[in-house]
Amino acid sequence: MTRVTDRDAVPFDLASMRKQYRAEGLAEADLAATPVEQFARWFRQAATEGGMFEPNAMVVSTADAEGRPSSRTVLLKHFDERGFVFYTNYGSRKARDLAENPQVSLLFPWHPMARQVIVAGVARRTGRDETAAYFRTRPHGSQLGAWASSQSSVVAGREELDAAYAELAARYPEGEQVPVPPHWGGFRVVPRSVEFWQGRENRLHDRLRYVAGPDGGWRVERLGP
Ligand SMILES: Cc1cc2nc3c(=O)[nH]c(=O)nc-3n(C[C@H](O)[C@H](O)[C@H](O)COP(=O)(O)O)c2cc1C
């Protein structure tokens, strides 16, 4: 059994690690009419001024039929008034969870801007045409990767993955069209609520949440930080 030595132990004084967040706030009057428009505004800022490596990286949390939660990072590939779209393997743990329980949370951790967006909603598979249109835009190697990996299954070793990839690369050399794997596709998350969190001074952050109404409209509520 490996012992945790002093050298491995937490090298920082975590209890004293804290940042003062910027003072610029988010007021009700500044919000767009819909959460998707507001998301578009913040996303544009995150992508252009935020200094972030992948602002479209989000934490997707699902739960199985017994309520056991799991989270992982996934890339947002499209959003509009219909919802937020990501692509994955339909045999993966997340996809199996969503088949049993379509409730999902998406979290965008935009730390450099002291911002966070949390979308709660229901995930549905995208249509095959939409999936195929996106698949065609992926680089050839990523298309092969979608075939090569049985995502979330236990593999014997790295060699197994490399061998599967090499076999596919021989069957579909660069320039050949790779068929869309039937076990791969998109999910569209239809939002029920979207919270915009802006860090403020003295931990008095702004939290404004859009909640879907029965008429298709949105109401906004402020939450305690
Ligand atoms: C930055 C980043 C982006 C990722 N993007 C995706 C993605 O778009 N789709 C995907 O299926 N997995 C993506 N992954 C891998 C997932 O985090 C995860 O390992 C995989 O989807 C299997 O998750 P599951 O076993 O919980 O279903 C990404 C990981 C990272 C760190």
Side-chain angles (χ1 to χ4, degrees):
M1 196 169 129
T2 324
R3 279 187 60 239
V4 176
T5 63
D6 281 352
R7 204 162 50 84
D8 300 324
V10 181
F12 304 105
D13 178 7
L14 289 176
S16 68
M17 282 179 85
R18 61 176 67 85
K19 290 250 189 275
Q20 187 68 265
Y21 296 140
R22 48 194 253 173
E24 211 178 293
L26 180 66
E28 285 81 346
D30 301 333
L31 288 180
T34 71
V36 171
E37 280 172 55
Q38 182 60 34
F39 182 85
R41 279 185 198 170
W42 270 24
F43 188 81
R44 196 172 307 114
Q45 291 172 356
T48 56
E49 313 157 19
M52 268 169 277
F53 179 58
E54 284 185 311
N56 60 328
M58 59 186 182
V59 177
V60 176
S61 298
T62 56
D64 66 14
E66 276 76 52
R68 279 183 295 245
S70 61
S71 302
R72 75 289 289 158
T73 307
V74 170
L75 295 179
L76 177 73
K77 284 293 164 183
H78 183 76
F79 70 90
D80 59 25
E81 293 295 338
R82 294 171 301 157
F84 298 80
V85 178
F86 66 88
Y87 290 88
T88 194
N89 187 305
Y90 285 149
S92 67
R93 175 172 181 178
K94 73 182 91 46
R96 281 185 270 122
D97 280 1
L98 291 171
E100 294 176 2
N101 172 7
Q103 302 294 335
V104 62
S105 157
L106 310 177
L107 184 148
F108 295 84
W110 291 335
H111 303 295
M113 305 190 84
R115 285 179 175 174
Q116 167 176 267
V117 179
I118 303 174
V119 177
V122 167
R124 301 182 208 298
R125 287 186 181 198
T126 54
R128 292 314 285 170
D129 287 353
E130 188 174 354
T131 289
Y134 171 67
F135 188 79
R136 298 270 161 260
T137 70
R138 284 166 60 100
H140 185 75
S142 304
Q143 294 184 355
L144 296 180
W147 275 105
S149 161
S150 173
Q151 195 177 55
S152 315
S153 305
V154 175
V155 283
R158 177 77 214 183
E159 308 72 42
E160 188 181 310
L161 285 177
D162 291 338
Y165 187 91
E167 200 180 298
L168 284 153
R171 199 178 329 154
Y172 302 107
E174 190 80 48
E176 284 254 332
Q177 198 175 82
V178 181
V180 184
H183 58 264
W184 187 93
F187 281 100
R188 171 171 280 103
V189 176
V190 179
R192 191 181 57 251
S193 72
V194 185
E195 179 191 328
F196 293 85
W197 185 101
Q198 173 69 68
R200 301 281 303 268
E201 278 171 4
N202 304 320
R203 300 300 187 249
L204 287 181
H205 316 301
D206 287 321
R207 297 180 65 191
L208 295 179
R209 181 167 67 185
Y210 292 80
V211 181
D215 54 350
W218 297 94
R219 73 186 151 80
V220 174
E221 51 199 19
R222 178 175 284 269
L223 303 176

